[in-house]
Amino acid sequence: MTGLLATVPAAASPPQRQAPGPGAVVSLGDSYISGEAGRWAGNTDANPANFPRVDALGPTAYFDNANRTAERIPKCHRSRSAEIHLGLPGTASENLACSGARTDSFRSSKGVAKPGLDFSDAAGVPGQARQLEEYARDHPVRMVAVSVGGNDFGFGDVITSCVLAYLSPLPKSCSQDAANRARFTDRAVEQRADDIAGGLRNVKQAMLRAGHDTDEYDVIVQNYPAPIPHGRDFRYPAALGARQTLGGCAFNDRDADWAVDSVLPAVGRAVERGIDKSGLDNVRFLDVTHAFDGHRLCERGVGLVEPVRGTVSRWTDPGASDKTEWISWVRTVTAVLPPFQVQEALHPNHWGQLALRNCLRQAYTALDQAPRNRLTCTGGGTGRNGRGEPRMRLS
């Protein structure tokens, strides 16, 4: 990485604690941990007859109320395949994250509630810190997993501009747009790091209010896996709109390279700087930057789920997780067809969520080992483990 790089200080070792046992784990933050797009196990074309081929969870995928009949907060998209559901004996899991969330609570332009890592009611619902406090009063929380920061940078708006640049009949590039580039300067990284630090301090405050000292739980903060490859590694040509038509990956080479080489590292630096600035001594950083390498959207070596030009016919086929993408297709507003939703675009799909779950479980069960402030999760080879998750490696 270049520019303003900082990591959690090696000298600030987290306090010793007992090995994780029966208790609860909680997730906070945005769409990359809420389970957005977790319904779909791979991508398929626009033929509605093929949609069932990738539908792993069905129409109730995001229903998270007690009876699985609706969302507790509409559009938070807390799917059943979200990574926090570790499935460990005696360990409860609670997903409080919300797709579209920033560190601060707000209502979207369409009036949709987006609770942040605060105690505010600005979204019309309690902020995630307050939700955590309420949950932790009645549950022995051992770990809080956090993914946040991308929406504070306005990452969704940048992606939209990149897609529009690709689809434009005139030569355009989102990476050359001054407003886009201004979002990821060193100064912007520091500002977003302050926001993330504030959110993490709210986590500590929520747990203290609920009666939990910092030596009773750990916080694992993760960054973001690269959703697309470099331009040279797309399996579809950029010309004549082929990338969007054939693979739902509407990015020019230059813009894809900028996203991978500049945007994601900037967001990652902000996350690490946020941990540093928070002052919390019970935090681990989980680096998942390369967790999806080999399975990114439109990457060479993997493909769609369909009988004609797919690498597998159905998501349940043997080897499906090895041969398909772990990122959801970008379906534009004008082209999206139900039951797909625009907000699912460019998020970890069912396989991606399960891969991240594997990473998080390994990180959680390693908390009693020699203290390490930085953990890295990458692919762990072909096949799946006994839980049906892609194999992943923690180092």
Side-chain angles (χ1 to χ4, degrees), residues 270-290:
V271 172
E272 292 193 78
R273 287 288 291 150
I275 294 172
D276 187 15
K277 289 186 170 190
S278 73
L280 274 65
D281 60 1
N282 61 339
V283 180
R284 307 295 207 284
F285 173 66
L286 178 58
D287 183 2
V288 295
T289 303
H290 297 289

Side-chain angles (χ1 to χ4, degrees), residues 287-307:
D287 183 2
V288 295
T289 303
H290 297 289
F292 291 180
D293 287 11
H295 294 276
R296 294 169 292 189
L297 186 62
C298 291
E299 191 166 12
R300 298 179 189 275
V302 289
L304 302 180
V305 180
E306 56 182 85

Side-chain angles (χ1 to χ4, degrees), residues 75-86:
K75 297 296 184 178
C76 278
H77 280 193
R78 299 162 172 165
S79 75
R80 296 197 303 278
S81 58
E83 62 182 273
I84 196 60
H85 302 309
L86 303 182

Side-chain angles (χ1 to χ4, degrees), residues 40-282:
W40 308 106
N43 296 307
T44 193
D45 63 17
N47 181 357
N50 286 331
F51 295 174
R53 298 179 183 277
V54 296
D55 197 352
L57 299 182
T60 65
Y62 304 124
F63 291 175
D64 66 332
N65 65 3
N67 298 321
R68 293 288 179 186
T69 57
E71 290 189 84
R72 288 180 289 175
I73 303 176
K75 297 296 184 178
C76 278
H77 280 193
R78 299 162 172 165
S79 75
R80 296 197 303 278
S81 58
E83 62 182 273
I84 196 60
H85 302 309
L86 303 182
L88 295 172
T91 301
S93 58
E94 181 71 3
N95 187 356
L96 300 178
C98 187
S99 181
R102 303 186 306 229
T103 51
D104 61 308
S105 294
F106 69 102
R107 280 188 175 274
S108 73
S109 59
K110 296 183 179 179
V112 179
K114 298 299 176 186
L117 267 63
D118 57 22
F119 299 91
S120 169
D121 291 323
V125 298
Q128 292 182 41
R130 183 180 295 179
Q131 294 178 45
L132 172 63
E133 177 186 348
E134 294 173 355
Y135 182 80
R137 289 186 187 279
D138 300 318
H139 298 83
V141 175
R142 300 297 187 107
M143 177 188 71
V144 179
V146 180
S147 168
V148 76
N151 292 318
D152 292 78
F153 277 94
F155 189 67
D157 293 336
V158 174
I159 294 301
T160 298
S161 72
C162 292
V163 171
L164 292 176
Y166 177 83
L167 297 176
S168 172
L170 301 175
K172 289 188 177 181
S173 172
C174 67
S175 59
Q176 301 306 303
D177 182 270
N180 283 342
R181 298 181 72 87
R183 294 176 186 266
F184 304 102
T185 62
D186 288 349
R187 180 180 179 183
V189 166
E190 286 297 298
Q191 291 172 334
R192 301 292 78 79
D194 288 338
D195 296 335
I196 294 167
L200 294 178
R201 286 192 289 268
N202 286 339
V203 171
K204 177 180 179 179
Q205 184 66 18
M207 293 295 286
L208 284 173
R209 291 181 181 180
H212 298 271
D213 292 329
T214 55
D215 60 352
E216 298 176 354
Y217 69 97
D218 289 272
V219 180
I220 294 181
V221 182
Q222 63 191 47
N223 59 358
Y224 299 86
I228 58 174
H230 287 97
R232 63 180 179 273
D233 294 323
F234 280 86
R235 64 178 182 269
Y236 302 118
L240 303 176
R243 284 185 180 161
Q244 183 60 24
T245 302
L246 299 176
C249 47
F251 292 89
N252 296 307
D253 285 354
R254 173 189 284 186
D255 294 341
D257 292 346
W258 176 66
V260 174
D261 294 334
S262 297
V263 172
L264 285 172
V267 177
R269 290 197 302 274
V271 172
E272 292 193 78
R273 287 288 291 150
I275 294 172
D276 187 15
K277 289 186 170 190
S278 73
L280 274 65
D281 60 1
N282 61 339

